[in-house]
Amino acid sequence: MIDIDDIKLLKLKAIDFNEPSTNAKKLERDFLYYLCNHLGHFTNCSKYSLYEAMALVIRDRIMGNWHRTWDTYRRNKVRRASYLSLEFLIGRSLGNHVLNLDLRDNIDQAIQDFCFKLEGIEQQEHDAGLGNGGLGRLAACFMDSCAALQLPVIGFGLRYEYGIFRQQLEHGYQIEEPDHWLREGNPWEIKRSELSQVIHFGGRTETVTDEQGRTVKKWVDTQDILAIPYDVPVSGYQNDTVNTLRLWRAAATDEFSLEEFNAGDYAEAVEQKNHAEAITMVLYPNDTSENGKELRLRQQYFLASASLKDIQRSWKETSSNGMTDFAEGNIFQLNDTHPSIAVAELMRILIDENGMQWDQAWDITTSCMAYTNHTLLPEALEKWPVFLFERLLPRVLEIIYKINSQMLREISQRWPGDAERMKRMSLVEEGAVRQVRMAHLAIAGSFSVNGVAHLHSELLKDGLFRDFYELWPEKFNNKTNGVTPRRWIAHANPLMSSLISQHIGENWLRDLRQIDALKKFSDPSEKKFHDTWYEVKHQNKERLARLVEQQCGIVFNPHSMFDVQVKRIHEYKRQLLNVLHVIHLYNRIKAGHVENWTNRCVLIGGKAAPGYSRAKMIIKLINNVSSVINEDPDIGDLLKLTFLPNFSVSAMEIIAPGTDLSEQISTAGKEASGTGNMKFMMNGALTIGTYDGANIEILDAVGKNNFFLFGHRVEDLAAMKEHYNPQSIIDGDEDLRKVMNLLESGHFNIDEPGIFNDLIDTLKDRHDPWFTLADFRDYIDTQQRAADCYRDRQQWIKMSIMNTACCGMFSSDRTIEEYNNDIWKLDQIKPGPINPTTAEPSR
Ligand code: HTE
């Protein structure tokens, strides 16, 4: 008998449990067991229960390796990295684990007697929409790659009750609906209450004398909130590693509500509980723009503090030197400035909670923090009012001040008397409201600062962070983004994947550089391969057309060119430029200029931040233009335009494989990297794109003959800035004039006069920061080249194959290898058998 207090014995018993078999018979039995015995469904059940039962079957087959992976890391006292991010845009997990565990064939066999398919079950899973766009999805791809590469990396994030809002359309306008993704539970998460942490807010600081007679600071009278971790497994690709994504949920501490209860104010106590839980209630739906809400700062500190305390706890379990050698064993990668308050929080933990001296604490902190910047847009640069810090995090603010004075001293030694430089670089911006500049804190506290594509990293050095580059050039580096080929090729595009594997073997999924071997099949003499390639693309287009018809009620003819732009709606991404081109094509058809025509289906999708009214009007414009075009009997199959509502990770899994032409048309210098561009290219789409972000590296990889490049470059735009004159561009371009005239005539908003005036004005504004009309002509001409090329089917297939064949460097495995070689310095390690004498499943 195991006594309830004898956890140790329980652990020993637990380590020799049997790994459930993966043969089809056992899978079927377990599936029925979960459905009937566990979930209690007998004669009928919801489709969701089928998913739930299947998820539990898979989860059982992950557990052993998850345990072994933890135990191996702990036992070997390996150096670890923590990826701190306010966003992890995971999407669905079932299919991903099935691929990683190589269970698909067995499951298909296990359920062959039932009248549903695994694919149907997979679709029941709610997307985990814990992110806005590229930044959040990148974090998810990185977690996948770390597990694939067997690196000891733990992700830390927040378990938002509500993820990114669900987007619906009403009369062409975006409507946001709450996404209560956890309503039916989440079979992947394991709550670990025993690892909860207490997080402090509010209160004040006191100067006191400690036992050794030193003056030290104390943070007192705080309001405490409980951080409860929920662990989500991250399986590696057929390699037994299962890493962890640890998501924190906020809850009221028992003590806190108790006090109120004792005071007899029951309602107040419950309200405080709600107040505590509000921290992880909702994801802020802004991408590349700052929000500035107090609750958001609370979220940031909550994540940083809970994660650091968790790592401190586990570090102390294995280290004999306390926190002195913490930096040898730990590194934190900050996903943008959102978690950058971790710099000051680690200082606070080392000094206040471990009695360390400032200089030693600073050495440790700056040896284990690394910061990734994801945008140059000034509206995304986080600043927090000092008064907020004073109220919420008074002790943390004191530390920030001290970091600042130390840095300013260093600057004044290097550039004596350069007051302007000090002002520019200060962690605190002076003004009516003094503000803490989080990027400056992140740079000062990190030993590595990286951008996410070559151009972006260069622009950081000679623009936004120039002063810091001059002070600390050795910190700056580039890590070009990547995406996981498991989700974005193997899972999303099984037809193409098996075609590839038939010709070059299967190893490309582990090492995407090997997909290079596909190049030789791009030669048109490989007729059979070309025919199959075309057939696969066609089937993927049919699948996408079904989605479009379901979601939009518009019929896409899969023989047309599928021209797609899906991403967040933002002026810099220039969905407007896309619409101008569509209107131009519409004009041509109406004028009868359809010589050498290529039928085209244009798909646009993406969410607008709820407070970004201009972005919402762009959605409305797309929908209005779409109605006019799709309802005009003259247009027919020549041209279609539709807006796909509620773009998501799982929608992208259907969209990318079915796309012919990928629109990557941001104003040069504005898209830090882009990652959708990579997902499209991998799936054999051609890119029409500007010289921006990772487009440049894609262009380098495929060559200019396999890429439709257009538009002004960063330096062209800089030179044009002073004399940019959109009106003269309109006057000098007949096609553009016709497009603008039609827009201004109200042709697309007959019942809603004037609604697009603001959009039209921005296009014609001499200070339009996005230079949309400056790129119109080249864009239109380049679109024509793409269209002509598409009619030469043989040529297009060749280019399509070349795009897939050249995608090797855009695997996030490559990106993670670079992070590891240059920044993290972790050893790869395979999970070994559990050692019963040291078994300790807790962390
Ligand atoms: C870039 C995109 C890049 C991606 O990161 C982005 N940066 C943000 N969102 C992105 O998608 C971002 C969001 C909130 C605050 C600051 C930045 O726009 C991943 O591919 O180009 O690096």
Side-chain angles (χ1 to χ4, degrees):
M1 280 284 277
I2 299 174
D3 188 79
I4 192 158
D5 293 321
D6 193 356
I7 305 271
K8 205 156 183 192
L9 190 54
L10 182 66
K11 281 172 193 162
L12 292 184
K13 288 272 182 198
I15 55 157
D16 57 14
F17 67 85
N18 281 329
E19 196 89 271
S21 151
T22 55
N23 73 45
K25 204 77 223 136
K26 175 76 168 123
L27 288 169
E28 180 188 354
R29 275 190 58 89
D30 282 9
F31 177 69
L32 291 171
Y33 167 85
Y34 275 117
L35 199 60
C36 304
N37 298 57
H38 184 84
L39 299 172
H41 296 294
F42 308 106
T43 45
N44 59 35
C45 67
S46 67
K47 287 182 187 168
Y48 187 81
S49 317
L50 299 178
Y51 155 71
E52 226 179 335
M54 187 59 80
L56 292 168
V57 169
I58 304 302
R59 205 180 84 165
D60 284 354
R61 276 121 186 116
I62 292 176
M63 273 315 158
N65 280 334
W66 200 2
H67 184 189
R68 278 187 283 279
T69 303
W70 263 134
D71 187 67
T72 304
Y73 292 165
R74 192 194 56 81
R75 191 155 28 89
N76 295 285
K77 304 184 178 183
V78 299
R79 177 176 162 81
R80 295 180 197 195
S82 301
Y83 198 80
L84 300 192
S85 178
L86 271 283
E87 304 189 14
F88 286 90
L89 223 186
I90 300 163
R92 291 178 178 145
S93 291
L94 179 60
N96 198 241
H97 289 303
V98 168
L99 175 72
N100 284 336
L101 274 62
D102 197 15
L103 287 179
R104 186 157 298 259
D105 291 347
N106 289 14
I107 293 174
D108 284 345
Q109 210 188 324
I111 60 175
Q112 66 187 354
D113 294 343
F114 310 142
C115 51
F116 50 80
K117 290 259 179 315
L118 181 54
E119 206 188 322
I121 296 182
E122 282 175 50
Q123 285 163 8
Q124 303 309 310
E125 181 170 2
H126 300 289
D127 271 39
L130 309 184
N132 276 286
L135 171 141
R137 182 54 230 177
L138 185 75
C141 283
F142 279 4
M143 290 307 295
D144 182 88
S145 285
C146 291
L149 295 168
Q150 306 197 291
L151 291 171
V153 176
I154 174 166
F156 283 107
L158 296 182
R159 179 183 177 276
Y160 301 109
E161 206 74 33
Y162 294 88
I164 187 67
F165 63 85
R166 199 151 359 99
Q167 179 193 54
Q168 293 211 340
L169 297 175
E170 245 172 52
H171 311 298
Y173 289 100
Q174 167 175 301
I175 303 293
E176 301 93 25
E177 287 187 348
D179 161 49
H180 197 188
W181 70 291
L182 291 167
R183 190 173 38 228
E184 297 178 275
N186 174 8
W188 303 113
E189 67 184 15
I190 307 282
K191 181 180 181 181
R192 302 212 184 279
S193 306
E194 71 282 10
L195 300 182
S196 296
Q197 294 288 348
V198 176
I199 310 302
H200 308 303
F201 287 96
R204 60 196 168 80
T205 62
E206 265 181 11
T207 311
V208 296
T209 313
D210 70 1
E211 303 92 64
Q212 290 118 310
R214 299 179 304 182
T215 358
V216 294
K217 288 289 187 143
K218 269 184 85 173
W219 186 6
V220 296
D221 293 345
T222 53
Q223 295 175 348
D224 296 344
I225 290 177
L226 205 61
I228 305 172
Y230 287 70
D231 285 356
V232 180
V234 182
S235 54
Y237 182 63
Q238 300 178 7
N239 67 5
D240 295 339
T241 289
V242 181
N243 280 340
T244 300
L245 173 59
R246 182 160 284 177
L247 302 176
W248 299 101
R249 180 173 80 85
T253 58
D254 289 346
E255 299 84 36
F256 196 57
S257 31
L258 210 69
E259 263 173 42
E260 306 286 341
F261 274 119
N262 292 344
D265 197 341
Y266 175 75
E268 176 83 351
V270 174
E271 202 181 301
Q272 293 293 352
K273 179 173 142 61
N274 279 335
H275 187 64
E277 295 187 347
I279 291 187
T280 51
M281 199 50 72
V282 62
L283 165 77
Y284 277 97
N286 310 338
D287 192 65
T288 59
S289 79
E290 198 207 3
N291 179 273
K293 287 278 183 351
E294 172 179 335
L295 188 61
R296 170 75 173 182
L297 179 59
R298 284 181 182 268
Q299 290 183 339
Q300 296 184 347
Y301 180 70
F302 182 79
L303 170 67
S305 183
S307 310
L308 286 168
K309 287 179 172 186
D310 186 55
I311 290 288
Q312 170 181 231
R313 175 193 51 73
S314 63
W315 177 250
K316 286 183 172 175
E317 278 171 16
T318 52
S319 158
S320 43
N321 304 320
M323 295 297 277
T324 54
D325 51 3
F326 185 70
E328 271 109 79
N330 297 284
I331 157 89
F332 300 89
Q333 191 70 43
L334 308 175
N335 201 20
D336 215 277
T337 53
H338 315 152
S340 63
I341 198 164
V343 168
E345 174 64 2
L346 180 56
M347 288 298 285
R348 192 192 65 76
I349 289 173
L350 294 174
I351 294 169
D352 294 3
E353 294 182 6
N354 292 276
M356 206 176 270
Q357 293 298 303
W358 178 275
D359 288 347
Q360 188 184 8
W362 186 245
D363 269 355
I364 291 173
T365 299
T366 51
S367 304
C368 64
M369 292 284 165
Y371 157 56
T372 305
N373 172 283
H374 293 267
T375 183
L376 293 156
L377 297 186
E379 60 266 37
L381 288 182
E382 289 193 300
K383 293 170 194 165
W384 291 106
V386 165
F387 69 79
L388 249 188
F389 265 97
E390 276 165 353
R391 186 152 54 77
L392 285 186
L393 305 164
R395 178 60 187 134
V396 179
L397 180 63
E398 289 178 355
I399 289 168
I400 291 174
Y401 281 153
K402 185 151 179 193
I403 295 172
N404 196 32
S405 73
Q406 179 183 264
M407 180 184 79
L408 293 175
R409 211 172 320 123
E410 191 174 339
I411 298 166
S412 77
Q413 273 164 21
R414 181 76 195 275
W415 291 279
D418 194 343
E420 273 308 308
R421 186 185 294 264
M422 308 248 281
K423 203 169 136 192
R424 289 197 304 269
M425 296 179 75
S426 174
L427 303 194
V428 181
E429 182 179 287
E430 303 296 336
V433 244
R434 302 174 71 224
Q435 312 221 77
V436 180
R437 296 161 163 160
M438 300 309 278
H440 295 200
L441 175 65
I443 298 170
S446 301
F447 69 91
S448 165
V449 176
N450 75 280
V452 289
H454 178 79
L455 173 71
H456 169 62
S457 296
E458 289 303 310
L459 294 174
L460 280 180
K461 290 189 291 186
D462 50 48
L464 192 58
F465 295 157
R466 186 186 197 124
D467 291 324
F468 289 96
Y469 177 61
E470 283 170 10
L471 183 60
W472 297 309
E474 69 285 354
K475 291 189 182 187
F476 286 77
N477 65 95
N478 172 247
K479 295 288 167 282
T480 297
N481 284 165
V483 303
T484 169
R486 270 76 60 186
R487 181 177 294 261
W488 296 112
I489 308 180
H491 176 68
N493 200 343
L495 295 176
M496 194 183 87
S497 298
S498 51
L499 177 60
I500 295 172
S501 294
Q502 278 163 29
H503 287 81
I504 66 168
E506 286 184 347
N507 234 352
W508 58 276
L509 268 177
R510 283 190 184 76
D511 173 12
L512 199 63
R513 299 233 176 236
Q514 295 184 26
I515 206 166
D516 208 63
L518 218 56
K519 279 183 186 160
K520 66 170 185 284
F521 296 97
S522 72
D523 193 289
S525 65
E526 297 283 349
K527 177 140 184 6
K528 206 162 146 273
F529 186 85
H530 279 228
D531 290 348
T532 321
W533 190 264
Y534 178 85
E535 182 50 33
V536 164
K537 179 58 90 175
H538 194 80
Q539 287 191 36
N540 287 328
K541 289 171 75 172
E542 288 176 333
R543 183 174 65 155
L544 173 53
R546 283 195 294 276
L547 178 79
V548 169
E549 187 167 3
Q550 266 166 30
Q551 299 288 310
C552 320
I554 300 297
V555 178
F556 273 12
N557 181 340
H559 294 285
S560 304
M561 177 166 95
F562 281 14
D563 167 350
V564 179
Q565 185 177 24
V566 284
K567 50 180 79 236
R568 290 296 288 241
I569 310 295
H570 199 294
E571 289 165 274
Y572 85 80
K573 296 178 188 278
R574 298 200 297 194
Q575 281 91 358
L576 272 181
L577 183 58
N578 191 343
V579 176
L580 296 182
H581 170 246
V582 173
I583 296 174
H584 164 72
L585 293 180
Y586 168 77
N587 281 342
R588 275 184 59 189
I589 299 170
K590 293 304 272 187
H593 294 155
V594 290
E595 61 291 345
N596 299 324
W597 191 262
T598 301
N599 290 358
R600 192 190 284 252
C601 297
V602 181
L603 183 66
I604 303 179
K607 294 174 186 180
Y612 187 175
S613 44
R614 204 171 270 167
K616 291 174 130 177
M617 281 314 292
I618 293 173
I619 294 176
K620 172 65 174 165
L621 176 64
I622 297 164
N623 282 311
N624 280 23
V625 173
S626 158
S627 303
V628 169
I629 290 177
N630 299 338
E631 284 159 23
D632 187 331
D634 296 350
I635 307 293
D637 263 359
L638 293 176
L639 178 64
K640 292 267 182 271
L641 167 66
T642 190
F643 184 89
L644 183 89
N646 202 38
F647 175 58
S648 61
V649 171
S650 46
M652 186 59 163
E653 292 166 8
I654 310 288
I655 295 168
T659 295
D660 294 310
L661 187 65
S662 152
E663 300 272 349
Q664 307 298 337
I665 61 180
S666 53
T667 309
K670 301 299 177 188
E671 189 71 273
S673 163
T675 44
N677 46 6
M678 301 168 188
K679 295 162 199 169
F680 283 115
M681 149 199 227
M682 286 180 173
N683 284 284
L686 275 63
T687 304
I688 181 164
T690 46
Y691 207 74
D692 197 17
N695 290 355
I696 299 170
E697 287 153 88
I698 292 176
L699 169 69
D700 285 348
V702 300
K704 63 180 192 316
N705 293 333
N706 298 306
F707 188 107
F708 299 104
L709 177 69
F710 76 97
H712 291 83
R713 301 192 177 198
V714 177
E715 49 293 0
D716 304 334
L717 296 175
M720 194 196 304
K721 203 173 162 192
E722 300 307 321
H723 55 93
Y724 177 51
N725 186 345
Q727 189 58 53
S728 75
I729 297 175
I730 296 170
D731 295 340
D733 188 319
E734 195 185 331
D735 290 332
L736 178 56
R737 204 158 62 237
K738 287 180 178 159
V739 169
M740 294 304 289
N741 283 344
L742 197 62
L743 256 177
E744 290 177 288
S745 75
H747 183 73
F748 300 105
N749 49 322
I750 293 179
D751 305 326
E752 305 154 291
I755 59 170
F756 299 128
N757 288 354
D758 170 70
L759 291 182
I760 295 166
D761 290 346
T762 61
L763 291 172
K764 295 165 81 172
D765 185 350
R766 301 180 66 128
H767 302 290
D768 172 20
W770 320 116
F771 297 97
T772 304
L773 298 192
D775 284 341
F776 177 82
R777 185 73 261 159
D778 201 7
Y779 182 54
I780 299 302
D781 293 344
T782 308
Q783 284 282 18
Q784 185 60 47
R785 279 203 290 125
D788 294 338
C789 185
Y790 188 79
R791 288 199 311 282
D792 183 349
R793 181 185 296 186
Q794 199 180 54
Q795 178 63 15
W796 189 274
I797 294 172
K798 178 180 169 166
M799 292 165 77
S800 167
I801 296 168
M802 277 303 283
N803 268 266
T804 301
C806 296
C807 77
M809 81 154 283
F810 302 104
S811 167
S812 44
D813 298 352
R814 188 269 312 150
T815 313
I816 288 299
E817 273 170 355
E818 290 181 12
Y819 273 94
N820 192 40
N821 292 336
D822 300 346
I823 307 173
W824 301 346
K825 319 265 186 202
L826 311 172
D827 292 326
Q828 290 180 306
I829 182 164
K830 294 183 193 313
I834 302 279
N835 178 346
T837 60
T838 62
E840 171 67 69
S842 83
R843 53 174 229 154

